[in-house]
């Protein structure tokens, strides 16, 4: 395969009652239907509130199954619960094996590896990291065996949470620790991927578009496909807009294109929740 075209969507946060987010998903679906990539990846927060509402996961699953292109998924904190961190307060919905199993039953594997256009593409469940769940250790063992067979191929990593803000040595701060892969899992990942030709880390979760390079690795934060978070509730780090990201992988390199589906609207979380509460 000379070229592999991949579209990353993220943070769709689908729920039957949140029709503005469903509308944005339909605009994304139409765009995918028009552009026909080889694969769509949803990098997590597929559902609005999976840990509380299985119906949100099922609704999201139904909409994704209607896409005209094959799809792979990674869980987000709003799908299976969140990571505990060393410095922040305990999450109100910690990631659980039960939540993970619900995700698996609807979306399939929460970690995957495949090869395309000379690349090795790996997806990880970032929400089991630092939980102590059995699946956390299993995933690290699985990852070690996958990386040992990369055989010099360039590697692209997909996961819900970004690895870090600017650098692997960023301190973990109480106020922002839930934004990134928690320590010590972050250091372990950086060390493991340091042994292979890592070129790209693609994440979601922040609901801001960002694209920067650290060392030889490009870090792409996909925006939410569904909504943005107000400046009163969240720092401005990148660009607050809804959209998606398109990649073209070739044996000699890759291209990134930041895009928006025609008709996608920058729904604000505050207006969304207000509208939902009012009925
Ligand atoms: Fe999200
Ligand atoms: Fe998230």
């Amino acid at each position: 395969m000379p070229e592999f075209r991949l579209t990353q969507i993220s943070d769709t946060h689908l729920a039957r009652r949140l029709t503005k987010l469903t509308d944005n998903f339909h605009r994304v679906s139409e765009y995918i239907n028009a552009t026909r990539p080889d694969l769509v990846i949803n990098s997590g927060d597929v559902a609005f509130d999976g840990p509380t509402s299985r119906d949100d996961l099922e609704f999201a699953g139904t909409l994704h199954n209607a896409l005209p292109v094959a799809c792979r998924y990674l869980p987000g904190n709003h799908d299976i619960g969140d990571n505990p961190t060393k410095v922040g307060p305990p999450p109100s919905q910690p990631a659980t094996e039960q939540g993970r199993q619900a995700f698996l039953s609807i979306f399939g594997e929460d970690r995957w590896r495949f090869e395309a256009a000379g690349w090795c593409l790996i997806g990880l469940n970032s929400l089991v990291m630092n939980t102590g769940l059995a699946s956390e250790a299993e995933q690290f063992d699985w990852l070690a065996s996958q990386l040992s067979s990369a055989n010099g191929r360039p590697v692209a990593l997909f996961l819900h949470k970004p690895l870090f803000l600017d650098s692997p040595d960023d301190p973990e701060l109480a106020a922002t620790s839930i934004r990134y892969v928690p320590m010590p899992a972050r250091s372990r990942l950086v060390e493991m991927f340091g042994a292979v030709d890592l070129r790209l880390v693609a994440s979601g979760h922040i609901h801001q578009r960002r694209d920067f390079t650290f060392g030889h690795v490009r870090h792409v934060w996909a925006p939410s496909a569904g909504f943005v978070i107000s400046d009163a509730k969240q720092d401005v780090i990148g660009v607050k807009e809804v959209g998606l990201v398109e990649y073209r992988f070739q044996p000699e390199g890759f291209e990134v294109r930041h895009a928006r589906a025609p008709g996608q609207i920058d729904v604000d979380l505050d207006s969304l929740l207000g509208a939902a509460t009012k009925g």
Side-chain angles (χ1 to χ4, degrees), residues 10-13 44-48 76-78 160 204-207 224 227 229:
S10 199
D11 296 86
T12 42
H13 285 274
D45 287 353
V46 181
F48 190 76
N77 46 305
H78 288 278
H160 181 62
H205 182 57
I206 308 292
H207 291 232
S224 166
F227 67 83
I229 302 169

Side-chain angles (χ1 to χ4, degrees), residues 7-26:
T7 296
Q8 182 190 7
I9 61 174
S10 199
D11 296 86
T12 42
H13 285 274
L14 292 161
R16 215 174 289 276
R17 65 193 179 283
L18 300 174
T19 54
K20 286 183 181 175
L21 302 186
T22 307
D23 289 345
N24 268 346
F25 188 84
H26 285 315

Side-chain angles (χ1 to χ4, degrees), residues 74-258:
L74 295 169
N77 46 305
H78 288 278
D79 300 319
I80 68 165
D82 211 343
N83 314 88
T85 67
K86 280 183 182 166
V87 295
S92 54
Q93 289 178 320
T96 62
E97 182 58 24
Q98 188 186 15
R100 178 175 171 261
Q101 288 298 330
F103 182 89
L104 297 181
S105 70
I106 293 168
F107 298 106
E109 287 301 313
D110 62 341
R111 58 177 186 248
W112 34 258
R113 172 254 175 94
F114 63 95
E115 280 152 33
W119 283 67
C120 175
L121 291 95
I122 294 176
L124 292 179
N125 178 343
S126 57
L127 282 312
V128 293
M129 294 176 189
N130 200 43
T131 60
L133 293 172
S135 60
E136 179 186 12
E138 287 162 13
Q139 178 168 251
F140 271 120
D141 290 347
W142 172 87
L143 177 62
S145 79
Q146 300 306 318
L147 293 178
S148 70
S149 61
N151 294 330
R153 291 182 194 88
V155 175
L157 168 63
F158 290 80
L159 72 182
H160 181 62
K161 290 193 172 185
L163 282 178
F164 45 72
L165 173 60
D166 292 318
S167 130
D169 300 322
D170 289 345
E172 216 176 17
L173 304 173
T176 57
S177 58
I178 57 163
R179 287 187 185 158
Y180 310 102
V181 170
M183 297 293 271
R186 180 205 302 171
S187 298
R188 195 167 170 191
L189 287 180
V190 168
E191 187 181 332
M192 291 174 82
F193 280 94
V196 299
D197 184 14
L198 181 68
R199 307 267 189 96
L200 168 68
V201 178
S203 55
H205 182 57
I206 308 292
H207 291 232
Q208 298 188 41
R209 192 193 288 286
R210 192 162 178 239
D211 189 338
F212 68 100
T213 299
F214 183 89
H216 300 291
V217 183
R218 191 158 172 185
H219 294 259
V220 175
W221 295 8
S224 166
F227 67 83
V228 295
I229 302 169
S230 65
D231 294 356
K233 287 202 167 127
Q234 185 200 45
D235 312 337
V236 177
I237 307 170
V239 178
K240 292 191 177 184
E241 62 176 17
V242 300
L244 49 91
V245 187
E246 297 172 298
Y247 303 87
R248 288 173 184 257
F249 294 93
Q250 299 120 1
E252 63 278 11
F254 71 108
E255 294 167 25
V256 179
R257 183 168 171 269
H258 294 278

Side-chain angles (χ1 to χ4, degrees), residues 40-78:
V40 169
I41 288 174
N42 189 324
S43 51
D45 287 353
V46 181
F48 190 76
D49 187 11
T52 306
S53 169
R54 185 180 170 93
D55 186 63
D56 288 3
L57 292 167
E58 288 177 348
F59 180 65
T62 302
L63 287 177
H64 284 77
N65 285 339
L67 287 173
V69 171
C71 214
R72 287 182 188 261
Y73 306 88
L74 295 169
N77 46 305
H78 288 278

